[in-house]
Amino acid sequence: LNFQVKAAADAKLGPAALRLQLDAGELVLPGMFSVTQPMPTITMIAPTTVLAGTGVTGIVVTGRNFTVQSEVLVNSAAIPGEYISDTELHASLPNQTAAATLPLQVRTPDAVYAGEYLLSHPVTLTVQMPVPPSVSFEPTPIAMPPDNKPHDITLRLSKADFRDHTIEFSV
């Protein structure tokens, strides 16, 4: 005998009996099932990659079955967050100092078993070390006539940077 069982949206959480009507009569199997709240599920996080050393980073977690008590976990530790809706959570990832691949999950208290939690599957959050910008200068090559007059040299970074750098030149 093959069959599928689906709990109604308003079903009482906890143990449930299975009732089967057979030719010989009704068969009742008490406590055959346990009705639980739906597991939290992550469908997407944004961003999926953060840079080390850039301070606190906001993470948006999208999915389903989130509650007001749901928490975002990184490396199994809860991080500060905010419930937006049953499909969205916002979290603040503390400053990361090293490159890493971090597991991110959502944890929701189990309404049936006090002190227990329902955990989503893990998704990967990547922490990368920032690549420093390259330096270019003009004129290229630097060739100054020996005329004892000041000459401008323009330095450019290949991209904006949030860190201080010391650049030394010798002429």
Side-chain angles (χ1 to χ4, degrees):
L1 177 64
N2 293 321
F3 59 93
Q4 291 182 343
V5 177
K6 184 177 180 180
D10 61 348
K12 181 182 173 192
L13 299 179
L18 173 65
R19 295 178 182 275
L20 296 173
Q21 186 62 45
L22 306 170
D23 288 340
E26 183 180 44
L27 173 64
V28 179
L29 301 170
M32 182 68 178
F33 297 106
S34 181
V35 179
T36 62
Q37 68 191 64
M39 298 292 282
T41 301
I42 299 172
T43 56
M44 184 177 75
I45 62 170
T48 58
T49 302
V50 299
L51 292 178
T54 56
V56 175
T57 303
I59 306 288
V60 177
V61 180
T62 306
R64 60 183 180 276
N65 305 324
F66 301 154
T67 70
V68 176
Q69 293 119 351
S70 293
E71 297 177 293
V72 176
L73 306 177
V74 174
N75 268 344
S76 300
I79 61 174
E82 178 183 12
Y83 171 82
I84 303 301
S85 71
D86 63 343
T87 61
E88 186 173 315
L89 301 172
H90 290 184
S92 298
L93 179 69
N95 183 42
Q96 301 298 300
T97 58
T101 301
L102 304 174
L104 185 142
Q105 292 178 285
V106 172
R107 171 174 75 184
T108 301
D110 191 322
V112 175
Y113 303 104
E116 298 290 322
Y117 295 93
L118 303 173
L119 281 175
S120 71
H121 63 286
V123 296
T124 300
L125 177 65
T126 303
V127 179
Q128 293 179 339
M129 293 305 291
V131 176
S134 60
V135 178
S136 64
F137 55 89
E138 292 176 6
T140 303
I142 296 178
M144 302 293 165
D147 56 7
N148 278 339
K149 293 182 183 177
H151 297 278
D152 290 334
I153 298 173
T154 304
L155 299 176
R156 288 194 172 84
L157 295 177
S158 61
K159 63 181 181 178
D161 198 6
F162 60 91
R163 295 180 182 196
D164 292 334
H165 298 279
T166 302
I167 301 173
E168 295 182 25
F169 291 95
S170 296
V171 179

